[in-house]
Amino acid sequence: MLFTSPVIVGLLLFTGYPILASLYYSFCNFPGLRPPVWIGMGNYLQLIKDPLVTKSLLNTAAYAAGSVPAGIAVAFVLALLLNQPVRGIAVFRTIFYLPSIVPAVASSVLWLWVFNPQYGLLNGVLGLFGINGPGWMADPVWAKPALIIMSTWGVGGTMIIFLAGLQDVPREMYEAAEIDGASDLQQTAHITLPFMSPHIFFAFIMGLIGASQYFTQAYIMTGGAGSPANSTLFFAMYLFQNAFHFFKMGYACAMAWLLFLLTLIATIVVFKSTARYVYYRGDNQ
Amino acid sequence: MKFGQKSAPALFILFVGVGIIAVLGPGAVADYFITRLFVSSTLPSNEVVVWHPWGAQNKEQIEELFREFNRTHSPLKVKSVFASNGAGGAGGSQKFFTSIAAGKTPDVIFVDSSQVAEWAFQGALEPLDERIAAAGIRMDDFFKPAWKSCAYDGRVWALTYCADPNFAFAWNKDVFARAGLDPEQPPRSIDELDRMNDRITASVNGKLRTLGLIPWGQFGGANSIFTWGWVFGGDFYDEANHRITANDPRIVRALEWMCSYASKYDITRINSLTAGFGSLDRNPFYIGEMGMTCFHIFQISDAGMYAPKLNYGLAPIPYPQGGEPNSSWIGGWCMGLPKGSRRAEAGWELIRWICADPEGTLAVGKIMSLFPGYRKSPYFDIVRNDPRYGIYVSIIDQSKHQRPVMPAVDYYMGALDRAVQFVLYGQKNAKQALDDATFETQRELDFKLAGK
Amino acid sequence: MLIALGAVFAAPFYWLVTTSFKTNANISRWPPQIIPDPWTAQHYIEGVTALPFGLYLVNTLVICVFATLGTVLSCSLCAYGFSKLRWKGRTLLFWIMLSTMMLPYQVVMVPLFHVFSKLGWVDTYLPLIVPAFFGNAFFIFLLRQFFMTIPLSLNEAAKIDGCGEFQIYSQIMLPLAKPAIATVGIFTFMGAWNDFLGPLIYLFDESKYTLALGLQMFLGQYGNYFGRLMAVSTLLILPIIMLFFATQKSFVEGITMTGVKG
């Protein structure tokens, strides 16, 4: 108990009050600048009827469904690659981490260039294989896949967590497997994966939470418009617009609590359904 | 603790410590930490705290302007604080929002001209009527649309700092010559514009190389439809009855025309010319990929920096038969006193000097190369005959419009933006899209006005 | 394979650096120049002199160091409590902590500002530093996952040897979890280094600004200093790269678990 006291105090002071306040605001007409006025369920009733809420929720769900698994897969493969004792590996580790430290403004402009339908790198490469690439950020159908591709490239953080996690896999397990004649792939599947499951689980939960609030890059890349045709209008972007552009902080709070509930449900489902697969070596409960 | 054994972190902290002492000098270190860990409760009484969103070259310019004020208004002193709006406005007005909600406001604030009514409605600004009257400032001293932007609900809430005449119509003379057009003849009517557009638009191997004009790409979808909607003779808001009129048939016609270019040349290919390069680095007009564009007054200096060889001319925007000749609207930024301004008296003097004083507005024009809203400013005599700025003087003299002055204008602009997108991508026709935008915005506005 | 992938991942950095050396006229060229021609250091000179660069660097470092210190200390303690100690309400509190991350920051920003305003901390570094000493849900969760993989038998053994909980935490857990602690350290440092919103909201005096916020000074309402933005961005991420390069070994050199049977 004593050990967790910082988080308890922190929760009360810096998290508890703001969270409860936002819950209260969600039942208020609160423009942000004038004091809140209680209106009961008004904001929530409006939420259900707002087509942009539905649209942005679906966009966010689609983005999460693509970016979370893809990000974990890429980070995992990279971590495996970077865990080899190769000369100069430190340089590669740094390089693969680079995208996650380049400022969003810079990376967004770069990716717009990569995705440019006519002159972009990606369609240029696809063209070499005789494929006529799609319009990416200029096409409502392909804009989200483009953002998902972009997200897999910024997985440096997850990669580092996996890399650190790989150090906990006992070496003698591999040695034993080697003796039993297991292939590399089998070793990965039967030793590395189970031992990494707490970290993959972590990445999955955090990826889910992160994806539910994703919007910054899409905001910068589309100039805040969620274009083309609302296809990149993410839930958090619409929430941001309501809070800081439309003077509807109360409505934004209601949106936030809806998102909170949905994320919480998704997280509980993930916790419950994966409990059997996550292997905590140190936990003998 | 074992963790500290590897001395890298400790060394690093040591390095930081030495760095701090090196930069500040040992004596100043204590002072440094005191100012950063405790707030001084006594603010100098002659200081006016101003928050502004002006970055890049404008930051240096506005600071020069404030120095000029300090020089002429001793002992008053401006404390200038850069309150970033984030990349492409991604930060919104978060700093102002959070601080005013907690009663920690600056003394003077800059407001986007379209936002004055909304901020006033939300109680974020102090009315200025008495001060304006006492200073002898009259409505006629300002360009009419600029003044109208600052007046809401029978009171005046801000004064115009810069009145942007939106827009002049720019054409690239080299692109015109290459397309076999007379480089000295810009289009005068929409029909001419369409014809020239067809001549200029050229593809190489199925890829669009040059384009005439992207009608919806003029500083965002909403500003584009405002611009063309007024050009086509439309009206966006009925002020007397608080009615949104985005589905005005003339605006519908304008939107249909705007989006006709999308179907003619394939929206994806057109967007690949602009895709995202809007605000941040590169403008297709600057590099000759686009022959014509609506040109903002700041772009005269911007193009001078990023495209010094650009050979272009400026003219009034072309208009259709039955449309509005020399159509334009006034945008820009205003200055106001936020609610809770502690040095309202000194703050007002700063606003008055910058926005409504011959000397101050002259300084604004000379330093920032922007137009004051104060029509009697001597700055206009200086630029009236300038080959580039001169055309903007005649535009602002005739300007009739400003964005709707009402408390849901940001929402309105979002709805218009969506309407443009829906039509561009063929998901709705122009009438339907604008009907929806009208309905949604009206609902929003009614809700706000009723909640008051 | 590594090299090909590496090129893909290094591209943005390459582009960032080369753009920072291009002349203004060439920045807007299309298609972009792969290699700047001519090279110019103009943006670096102008960028560094336009900002009080040294001062902002010091400001940034002060905030980063304190925030990192606070986060590492508080989060490792909490994570230990959540993973290795049994107490009533542990699961519930863990879930509450986890759920605090699920509410978007935008809606707690205003009330949180109220708290700091009431405390009289606005316009100081305290709102940027002090909360770090009270834990961060993300890092507690991360460390908990790592601690959970450390065999409980180690604890038991230490207890038999007469170690108190705090000793177990500092003598056994921390060294064993070094890769994880290093991860938390670099993430926090980077987060504070790049944070733009926090300093923007809480600081009311330009002399207290940080580099990430100073970077925004190159973006304007009317036109941008794109070259300077790129140049100072490059300067801003170079230390992070060096820090990462210097510490990357600690991500992988944690005490390997050989000999410790789970």
Side-chain angles (χ1 to χ4, degrees):
Chain A
M1 193 70 192
L2 184 69
F3 279 85
T4 51
S5 54
V7 79
I8 294 172
V9 177
L11 269 178
L12 288 176
L13 197 61
F14 301 128
T15 318
Y17 167 72
I19 285 183
L20 291 179
S22 79
L23 182 61
Y24 170 69
Y25 296 156
S26 76
F27 294 102
C28 294
N29 178 10
F30 180 40
L33 300 177
R34 279 179 293 145
V37 179
W38 182 268
I39 52 164
M41 294 300 288
N43 287 326
Y44 289 94
L45 293 175
Q46 206 190 330
L47 264 187
I48 302 165
K49 284 186 285 183
D50 188 340
L52 289 180
V53 165
T54 325
K55 175 82 186 165
S56 60
L57 262 184
L58 290 175
N59 282 341
T60 303
Y63 174 78
S67 72
V68 177
I72 290 177
V74 172
F76 190 75
V77 170
L78 287 180
L80 285 179
L81 283 174
L82 293 176
N83 198 30
Q84 303 160 6
V86 183
R87 184 190 281 273
I89 197 75
V91 176
F92 281 107
R93 283 182 188 138
T94 311
I95 286 176
F96 285 103
Y97 190 58
L98 269 179
S100 38
I101 50 178
V102 172
V105 174
S107 60
S108 301
V109 176
L110 177 88
W111 276 97
L112 283 170
W113 175 42
V114 171
F115 286 133
N116 188 297
Q118 288 195 67
Y119 304 105
L121 273 184
L122 192 54
N123 280 1
V125 172
L126 289 176
L128 293 181
F129 297 100
I131 302 169
N132 198 359
W136 299 114
M137 291 304 287
D139 182 331
V141 177
W142 286 95
K144 274 188 292 287
L147 290 172
I148 291 169
I149 291 175
M150 183 175 160
S151 76
T152 61
W153 166 90
V155 293
T158 316
M159 179 193 84
I160 294 300
I161 293 170
F162 286 170
L163 196 55
L166 280 173
Q167 310 315 311
D168 287 349
V169 184
R171 295 266 158 78
E172 68 270 16
M173 299 286 279
Y174 291 118
E175 286 154 19
E178 204 85 37
I179 293 164
D180 292 344
S183 71
D184 280 359
L185 201 67
Q186 281 172 323
Q187 290 185 20
T188 307
H190 295 292
I191 303 171
T192 317
L193 267 180
F195 273 101
M196 290 294 288
S197 58
H199 309 303
I200 295 175
F201 175 69
F202 171 81
F204 195 86
I205 299 286
M206 292 319 302
L208 201 65
I209 295 176
S212 75
Q213 297 172 20
Y214 170 85
F215 87 105
T216 313
Q217 304 235 291
Y219 196 99
I220 297 175
M221 287 173 79
T222 66
S227 55
N230 284 342
S231 62
T232 63
L233 181 75
F234 292 100
F235 194 75
M237 191 195 282
Y238 187 48
L239 187 153
F240 179 86
Q241 290 177 349
N242 273 296
F244 294 105
H245 286 288
F246 306 156
F247 292 80
K248 292 164 77 178
M249 188 52 98
Y251 191 61
C253 287
M255 285 182 72
W257 279 90
L258 175 69
L259 184 69
F260 173 85
L261 269 182
L262 294 174
T263 318
L264 187 65
I265 292 169
T267 310
I268 291 174
V269 169
V270 171
F271 253 89
K272 293 281 179 225
S273 61
T274 60
R276 326 187 260 133
Y277 304 108
V278 180
Y279 166 63
Y280 292 111
R281 194 156 45 123
D283 198 49
N284 33 9
Q285 282 175 22
Chain B
M1 229 178 280
K2 276 271 169 59
F3 159 60
Q5 265 180 359
K6 271 276 173 191
S7 48
L11 255 175
F12 183 73
I13 293 173
L14 190 74
F15 168 76
V16 171
V18 173
I20 293 172
I21 297 171
V23 171
L24 299 170
V29 171
D31 195 43
Y32 174 89
F33 279 102
I34 287 168
T35 55
R36 274 147 185 85
L37 299 179
F38 308 96
V39 203
S40 82
S41 49
T42 51
L43 293 159
S45 61
N46 62 335
E47 241 178 37
V48 188
V49 180
V50 184
W51 288 2
H52 69 82
W54 302 100
Q57 54 272 57
N58 296 147
K59 184 166 191 295
E60 294 145 29
Q61 292 162 345
I62 195 112
E63 281 164 5
E64 191 184 335
L65 186 67
F66 291 154
R67 277 197 299 276
E68 185 65 22
F69 176 82
N70 293 346
R71 198 177 60 76
T72 51
H73 289 75
S74 177
L76 289 183
K77 229 180 136 233
V78 175
K79 178 175 171 164
S80 155
V81 179
F82 172 64
S84 167
N85 277 355
S93 319
Q94 292 173 91
K95 186 182 175 75
F96 183 62
F97 248 105
T98 45
S99 64
I100 204 167
K104 289 234 163 229
T105 48
D107 302 320
V108 173
I109 186 84
F110 280 83
V111 199
D112 187 303
S113 63
S114 68
Q115 293 288 306
V116 176
E118 187 139 16
W119 288 32
F121 176 80
Q122 302 295 358
L125 298 170
E126 296 278 2
L128 300 175
D129 304 76
E130 275 115 68
R131 296 178 197 281
I132 286 172
I137 299 168
R138 289 174 307 118
M139 196 170 114
D140 296 342
D141 297 345
F142 282 78
F143 296 105
K144 205 171 166 202
W147 182 270
K148 277 174 88 176
S149 294
C150 297
Y152 175 72
D153 209 14
R155 315 193 79 171
V156 181
W157 304 88
L159 287 183
T160 302
Y161 158 70
C162 64
D164 300 343
N166 294 341
F167 298 96
F169 191 81
W171 77 101
N172 185 322
K173 295 181 178 175
D174 296 340
V175 172
F176 268 53
R178 242 181 293 145
L181 294 165
D182 180 353
E184 298 307 326
Q185 281 300 319
R188 305 272 174 218
S189 69
I190 293 289
D191 287 339
E192 265 180 47
L193 173 60
D194 288 344
R195 275 199 300 278
M196 290 181 176
N197 187 62
D198 290 343
R199 286 282 291 277
I200 294 169
T201 303
S203 306
V204 178
N205 301 331
K207 289 180 178 179
L208 223 44
R209 270 280 162 217
T210 37
L211 194 70
L213 173 84
I214 305 178
W216 61 88
Q218 311 305 319
F219 302 89
N223 285 333
S224 303
I225 193 171
F226 277 137
T227 305
W228 298 115
W230 282 314
V231 165
F232 275 69
D235 206 350
F236 287 85
Y237 184 57
D238 173 359
E239 217 170 301
N241 302 305
H242 306 289
R243 302 316 294 170
I244 307 292
T245 55
N247 52 358
D248 179 324
R250 290 163 297 188
I251 300 175
V252 174
R253 210 155 70 79
L255 183 56
E256 277 166 356
W257 169 77
M258 284 164 69
C259 296
S260 68
Y261 282 33
S263 36
K264 223 187 313 185
Y265 302 114
D266 178 5
I267 174 81
T268 310
R269 293 199 307 160
I270 299 176
N271 275 355
S272 71
L273 283 183
T274 57
F277 289 98
S279 60
L280 273 176
D281 61 337
R282 164 188 165 277
N283 183 323
F285 181 76
Y286 288 3
I287 52 176
E289 279 182 356
M290 209 164 71
M292 298 171 280
T293 190
C294 292
F295 210 71
H296 191 283
I297 187 168
F298 92 84
Q299 291 184 296
I300 296 175
S301 58
D302 194 58
M305 176 159 78
Y306 288 105
K309 290 180 196 140
L310 186 63
N311 179 18
Y312 65 101
L314 296 169
I317 299 181
Y319 61 100
Q321 213 170 18
E324 185 178 279
N326 301 319
S327 176
S328 74
W329 53 279
I330 294 186
W333 285 75
C334 306
M335 294 174 82
L337 295 174
K339 188 140 270 176
S341 167
R342 274 158 309 222
R343 290 194 224 346
E345 210 50 55
W348 163 250
E349 176 52 25
L350 178 71
I351 295 175
R352 190 202 62 78
W353 184 76
I354 288 184
C355 301
D357 184 283
E359 195 189 312
T361 54
L362 179 65
V364 170
K366 277 183 164 168
I367 296 171
M368 312 279 295
S369 302
L370 293 170
F371 283 2
Y374 189 65
R375 63 191 307 169
K376 299 195 299 195
S377 172
Y379 179 65
F380 291 108
D381 298 330
I382 298 176
V383 286
R384 202 172 294 277
N385 296 318
D386 182 278
R388 298 230 194 274
Y389 288 101
I391 172 93
Y392 285 95
V393 178
S394 74
I395 289 173
I396 201 169
D397 278 338
Q398 301 174 67
S399 195
K400 291 195 190 72
H401 308 283
Q402 76 290 323
R403 283 166 291 192
V405 183
M406 53 94 167
V409 69
D410 232 347
Y411 188 92
Y412 195 6
M413 290 176 69
L416 287 174
D417 212 30
R418 286 195 296 276
V420 172
Q421 291 275 326
F422 281 133
V423 181
L424 278 181
Y425 286 94
Q427 297 180 353
K428 289 180 186 173
N429 67 39
K431 173 87 171 68
Q432 193 188 354
L434 288 169
D435 277 344
D436 292 352
T438 305
F439 174 76
E440 286 164 18
T441 312
Q442 189 68 54
R443 193 180 50 191
E444 191 70 19
L445 179 65
D446 290 345
F447 180 77
K448 278 204 172 165
L449 293 175
K452 194 176 177 183
Chain C
M1 169 87 170
L2 269 182
I3 293 172
L5 271 176
V8 173
F9 278 75
F13 184 65
Y14 176 82
W15 180 80
L16 180 75
V17 174
T18 50
T19 306
S20 70
F21 285 109
K22 286 178 192 168
T23 60
N24 276 330
N26 281 339
I27 283 173
S28 55
R29 278 260 301 261
W30 183 261
Q33 282 184 325
I34 303 296
I35 297 164
D37 177 31
W39 291 72
T40 170
Q42 177 202 358
H43 302 307
Y44 284 86
I45 297 163
E46 287 172 355
V48 170
T49 47
L51 296 179
F53 191 84
L55 181 65
Y56 284 4
L57 180 66
V58 169
N59 292 346
T60 311
L61 283 173
V62 166
I63 294 172
C64 284
V65 166
F66 281 108
T68 309
L69 215 62
T71 307
V72 168
L73 283 178
S74 63
C75 292
S76 59
L77 266 177
C78 290
Y80 181 70
F82 275 125
S83 59
K84 291 296 167 197
L85 305 178
R86 300 263 167 80
W87 40 280
K88 214 167 163 248
R90 183 177 95 161
T91 316
L92 179 70
L93 189 64
F94 177 74
W95 271 97
I96 292 176
M97 185 199 73
L98 200 61
S99 63
T100 59
M101 282 187 285
M102 298 173 193
L103 207 62
Y105 183 67
Q106 291 90 356
V107 297
V108 291
M109 218 163 87
V110 169
L112 189 60
F113 191 94
H114 267 284
V115 172
F116 289 123
S117 169
K118 284 276 181 303
L119 288 168
W121 288 2
V122 171
D123 200 23
T124 71
Y125 288 167
L126 298 176
L128 307 172
I129 291 173
V130 174
F133 286 85
F134 292 97
N136 168 302
F138 177 87
F139 294 121
I140 293 173
F141 185 28
L142 173 68
L143 286 173
R144 169 194 181 261
Q145 295 304 94
F146 274 90
F147 288 163
M148 296 276 270
T149 66
I150 295 172
L152 205 57
S153 55
L154 269 179
N155 283 38
E156 313 290 343
K159 264 189 204 143
I160 292 165
D161 290 347
C163 286
E165 289 292 358
F166 191 77
Q167 267 180 305
I168 299 176
Y169 156 78
S170 62
Q171 307 285 336
I172 297 176
M173 285 299 153
L174 284 188
L176 280 180
K178 212 173 140 203
I181 303 271
T183 310
V184 170
I186 187 112
F187 282 8
T188 325
F189 192 89
M190 244 194 62
W193 185 264
N194 287 334
D195 182 22
F196 139 75
L197 191 56
L200 171 70
I201 293 174
Y202 291 115
L203 302 179
F204 286 18
D205 188 330
E206 281 186 14
S207 70
K208 293 175 186 168
Y209 279 12
T210 59
L211 281 178
L213 188 48
L215 202 60
Q216 300 289 325
M217 292 179 176
F218 299 129
L219 295 173
Q221 297 300 320
Y222 295 147
N224 305 303
Y225 277 148
F226 208 67
R228 291 186 200 178
L229 181 75
M230 294 294 139
V232 176
S233 291
T234 306
L235 293 179
L236 198 59
I237 66 177
L238 268 182
I240 296 280
I241 294 178
M242 287 180 330
L243 185 70
F244 184 86
F245 188 77
T247 52
Q248 57 84 26
K249 251 190 111 126
S250 49
F251 297 126
V252 290
E253 73 166 5
I255 310 226
T256 38
M257 307 294 293
T258 15
V260 181
K261 294 276 190 299

